[in-house]
């Protein structure tokens, strides 16, 4: 039977095909790095140079059994990248590389765990004064909004339905299960801070209220400010837009705020275009889903450093699930006073 001729198969043929896919018959494997650059990028959505960089980065952490049909580090990395970038059925990824679906699943889980473990090397806030001033300069060049070192927002990553106790707490306001992921990005769209431990029903403001980054700002670790939408409280270190701007200075502040804060929307769009699994949903267990999100953030930052482009015609459009923002009404007095002084100083 020609296993590639599926259109004319009946159900019996499909059963035979499934048995073939799950058999232990050795399958042909090719080295993906023997492909030319265009073919490699078409299959894996990244350039060879990027793939080799990731392989070199984690090679020492990949156990490679030379016996039997074990996957080489090269195949392990490209299988994971293809599966996340294309959001491909694991069976199809396995067939392409001559392995079973279970091997692809284990490989993706292992690569995600390794990359998540080294996330602090690639996901970090600017700490030195020079780094913070450089971040402020780049943000100010967008819409003349001064003293900004990062933009914050949350995005919902869909997961499979949780049937255990507490599963309903993962259902967000749009009615599907998700992890509410908090991200802070810089003006280059790199992810500087990420929190993935919260369920979809949790409000953005609570995630920030209980995160370590808030504690660092309150301890004076940073000289700059964050920008957030109206779902966050306005504080002396996190500025939100004015809900009812009255004066010309307030309107200028809001216009500049919107254009600058749009950076986080572009970050989400680029991140999810690179890794379609974030756009369409993760269907492993919760812990693996969290590690995969962080792993994709690490890869996203490395891709920006290496100036990896999207395919021609793809745009950095944020395809969020249009979950409405619940405005944070009771803003702290100190935050409102600080914002008022800021507007009078820089926008009057």
């Amino acid at each position: 039977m020609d296993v590639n001729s599926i259109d004319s198969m009946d159900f019996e043929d499909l059963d035979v095909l499934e048995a073939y896919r799950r058999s232990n018959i050795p399958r042909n494997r090719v080295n993906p790095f023997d492909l030319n650059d265009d073919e490699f990028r078409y299959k894996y959505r990244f350039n060879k140079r990027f793939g080799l960089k990731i392989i070199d980065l984690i090679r020492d952490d990949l156990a490679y059994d030379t016996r039997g049909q074990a996957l080489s580090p090269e195949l392990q990395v490209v299988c994971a990248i293809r599966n996340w970038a294309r959001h491909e059925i694991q069976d199809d990824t396995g067939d392409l590389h001559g392995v079973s679906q279970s091997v692809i699943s284990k490989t993706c889980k292992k690569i995600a765990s390794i990359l998540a473990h080294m996330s602090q090397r690639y996901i970090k806030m600017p700490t030195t004064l020079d780094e913070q001033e450089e971040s402020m300069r780049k943000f100010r060049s967008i819409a003349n909004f001064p003293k900004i070192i990062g933009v914050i927002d949350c995005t919902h990553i869909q997961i499979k339905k949780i049937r255990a106790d507490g599963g309903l707490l993962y259902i967000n306001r749009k009615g599907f299960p998700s992890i509410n992921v908090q991200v802070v990005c810089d003006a280059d769209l790199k992810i500087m801070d990420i929190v993935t431990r919260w369920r979809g029903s949790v409000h953005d403001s609570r995630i920030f209220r209980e995160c370590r980054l808030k504690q660092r700002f309150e301890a004076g670790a940073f000289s700059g400010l964050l920008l957030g939408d109206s779902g966050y409280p306005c504080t002396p270190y996190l500025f939100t837009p004015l809900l009812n701007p009255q004066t010309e200075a307030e309107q200028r502040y809001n216009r500049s705020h919107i254009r600058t804060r749009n950076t986080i929307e572009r970050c989400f769009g680029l991140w999810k275009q690179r890794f379609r699994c974030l756009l369409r949903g993760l269907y492993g267990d919760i812990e693996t889903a969290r590690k995969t999100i962080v792993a994709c953030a690490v890869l996203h930052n490395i891709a920006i450093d290496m100036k990896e482009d999207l395919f021609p015609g793809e745009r950095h459009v944020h395809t969020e699930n249009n979950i409405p923002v619940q405005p944070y009404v009771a803003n702290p007095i100190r935050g409102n006073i600080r914002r008022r002084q800021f507007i009078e100083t820089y926008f009057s």
Side-chain angles (χ1 to χ4, degrees):
M1 182 187 71
D2 182 2
V3 296
N4 295 314
S5 302
I6 299 178
D7 292 341
S8 60
M9 289 183 180
D10 57 23
F11 289 111
E12 183 177 353
D13 292 330
L14 290 174
D15 290 339
V16 173
L17 174 60
E18 185 64 23
Y20 167 82
R21 297 176 80 166
R22 298 189 179 191
S23 67
N24 292 322
I25 299 174
R27 308 179 195 181
N28 292 328
R29 294 179 185 169
V30 297
N31 183 358
F33 291 94
D34 289 338
L35 301 171
N36 64 45
D37 290 338
D38 290 339
E39 290 175 331
F40 186 93
R41 192 174 185 215
Y42 176 77
K43 287 181 179 294
Y44 301 102
R45 293 178 56 81
F46 288 94
N47 292 321
K48 278 186 185 181
R49 187 169 63 97
F50 178 83
L52 292 171
K53 167 74 174 179
I54 304 306
I55 292 165
D56 291 340
L57 181 66
I58 67 175
R59 184 187 299 275
D60 293 341
D61 296 305
L62 290 174
Y64 178 36
D65 189 349
T66 57
R67 299 171 297 176
Q69 294 289 311
L71 282 182
S72 66
E74 289 78 9
L75 275 177
Q76 291 183 60
V77 169
V78 297
C79 283
I81 289 177
R82 178 181 171 99
N83 190 255
W84 297 334
R86 298 174 68 102
H87 196 241
E88 188 174 57
I89 297 173
Q90 291 182 346
D91 267 332
D92 293 341
T93 305
D95 287 346
L96 178 67
H97 296 91
V99 297
S100 65
Q101 177 274 329
S102 62
V103 170
I104 296 297
S105 177
K106 293 175 182 177
T107 297
C108 289
K109 182 181 293 189
K110 177 167 61 175
I111 300 294
S113 181
I114 294 170
L115 289 171
H117 184 70
M118 61 176 59
S119 62
Q120 291 184 351
R121 290 169 53 185
Y122 297 94
I123 302 176
K124 54 187 177 182
M125 295 289 292
T127 53
T128 68
L129 186 59
D130 287 343
E131 290 174 344
Q132 294 180 50
E133 288 179 347
E134 176 67 8
S135 185
M136 293 179 204
R137 184 191 64 78
K138 289 182 178 180
F139 272 115
R140 187 157 193 172
S141 68
I142 297 173
N144 201 33
F145 204 113
K147 302 187 74 65
I148 300 303
I149 64 169
V151 183
I152 187 171
D153 201 1
C154 288
T155 185
H156 288 263
I157 306 298
Q158 186 170 355
I159 58 174
K160 69 178 182 180
K161 188 174 182 180
I162 308 297
R163 301 187 181 277
D165 290 343
L168 290 177
L169 297 175
Y170 284 90
I171 305 298
N172 60 40
R173 296 192 299 279
K174 290 291 285 186
F176 62 86
S178 68
I179 297 173
N180 196 3
V181 180
Q182 177 182 279
V183 169
V184 176
C185 80
D186 65 13
D188 296 323
L189 311 185
K190 288 181 66 175
I191 295 172
M192 300 189 297
D193 189 79
I194 187 168
V195 179
T196 63
R197 67 187 183 90
W198 291 94
R199 297 166 290 197
S201 62
V202 178
H203 194 275
D204 297 0
S205 61
R206 181 186 173 189
I207 297 176
F208 180 70
R209 186 171 67 245
E210 300 191 21
C211 75
R212 183 172 177 269
L213 183 63
K214 178 178 182 291
Q215 298 173 359
R216 294 177 67 190
F217 269 96
E218 291 185 339
F222 307 104
S223 59
L225 308 167
L226 292 176
L227 285 189
D229 62 25
S230 57
Y232 292 97
C234 181
T235 71
Y237 48 83
L238 196 166
F239 283 179
T240 60
L242 293 160
L243 296 181
N244 296 296
Q246 301 295 322
T247 67
E248 180 61 29
E250 291 176 347
Q251 292 173 5
R252 281 196 293 268
Y253 167 87
N254 264 17
R255 287 194 296 268
S256 182
H257 188 290
I258 290 170
R259 288 179 57 194
T260 307
R261 200 189 68 80
N262 182 255
T263 306
I264 190 69
E265 305 297 338
R266 294 172 55 223
C267 173
F268 287 149
L270 177 59
W271 188 31
K272 292 183 179 184
Q273 285 289 353
R274 280 195 168 123
F275 300 100
R276 300 285 180 86
C277 63
L278 306 177
L279 188 63
R280 299 170 182 168
L282 298 168
Y283 300 106
D285 60 82
I286 291 295
E287 189 59 30
T288 298
R290 290 177 175 138
K291 290 179 179 178
T292 301
I293 293 168
V294 176
C296 289
V298 171
L299 295 176
H300 168 79
N301 284 357
I302 294 174
I304 290 178
D305 287 338
M306 298 182 69
K307 295 180 170 53
E308 280 278 327
D309 294 325
L310 293 175
F311 283 133
E314 291 186 331
R315 300 185 301 162
H316 305 177
V317 177
H318 180 31
T319 54
E320 182 59 90
N321 302 293
N322 297 319
I323 298 178
V325 175
Q326 295 178 341
Y328 194 95
V329 179
N331 280 314
I333 295 176
R334 288 180 61 244
N336 283 334
I337 293 175
R338 178 72 178 89
R339 181 174 61 182
R340 172 62 54 197
Q341 294 171 340
F342 187 88
I343 293 172
E344 292 175 354
T345 302
Y346 295 103
F347 292 95
S348 293

